[in-house]
Amino acid sequence: MVITFTTILLGLAALILPLRQNRFYLLSSAMVIGSAYYFEHNCFRTSLFAPKTFLLFLVFHLVAINISTFIAYGVDKRAAKQGQWRISERDLHMLEFLGGWIGAFFGQKCFHHKTSKKSYQATYKFMIVLEFAAIWYILKFLNLI
């Protein structure tokens, strides 16, 4: 699992150049790889590129990216209050597109951040639509629907 998950995450970073500099994506990747390592050594093993492995990757990834996105919103809100360097909207939207829109929703509500900016909210909703389209495509590719 660790090899498969690392390959997928590095492949995403190679294909999507802004991910290389997004520290919250790196945090999410570390959580996914750490979880895979733990499960592989303490619970069960799967074959390298089996459908079950991809489904486990999706679950681990969605949990990790939502936690990372929630943290990113908190860090950005704190930086906004203190007048420090902020997280770019592109990076926040990238996290949302990669599955972190639930973490973004709770981050917006909990930290009262980015809720009144109309252009940001429009892009946020568009990212949700894109993510559902990507999930449908992945499930179709794996012959699960």
Side-chain angles (χ1 to χ4, degrees):
M1 272 193 313
V2 173
I3 294 170
T4 304
F5 291 5
T6 304
T7 303
I8 293 169
L9 293 168
L10 289 177
L12 276 174
L15 291 173
I16 306 170
L17 297 179
L19 287 181
R20 294 179 192 170
Q21 297 151 358
N22 190 328
R23 62 185 174 176
F24 295 100
Y25 175 74
L26 297 176
L27 171 66
S28 172
S29 297
M31 285 192 280
V32 170
I33 293 169
S35 299
Y37 178 83
Y38 176 80
F39 273 85
E40 190 170 61
H41 285 69
N42 296 315
C43 298
F44 56 86
R45 291 182 182 205
T46 62
S47 60
L48 280 180
F49 293 104
K52 181 180 177 182
T53 306
F54 284 116
L55 288 176
L56 282 171
F57 171 77
L58 286 176
V59 169
F60 288 165
H61 172 72
L62 287 175
V63 169
I65 200 76
N66 279 292
I67 291 169
S68 297
T69 305
F70 182 81
I71 292 169
Y73 271 81
V75 168
D76 192 42
K77 179 64 175 191
R78 182 176 176 186
K81 284 183 175 180
Q82 296 178 350
Q84 295 175 343
W85 193 261
R86 308 266 312 270
I87 298 169
S88 72
E89 288 187 2
R90 180 191 72 184
D91 287 347
L92 291 173
H93 287 311
M94 186 64 64
L95 292 170
E96 295 161 4
F97 172 71
L98 291 173
W101 64 271
I102 296 171
F105 174 79
F106 286 113
Q108 289 174 13
K109 298 302 177 193
C110 182
F111 302 116
H112 304 289
H113 190 52
K114 302 282 190 190
T115 56
S116 60
K117 190 173 181 183
K118 301 265 188 232
S119 63
Y120 187 87
Q121 287 299 312
T123 308
Y124 167 70
K125 290 173 183 167
F126 182 66
M127 289 298 140
I128 294 172
V129 171
L130 281 178
E131 183 188 340
F132 278 112
I135 290 172
W136 178 84
Y137 180 78
I138 290 168
L139 292 175
K140 190 83 165 159
F141 177 77
L142 294 174
N143 292 323
L144 295 173
I145 57 169

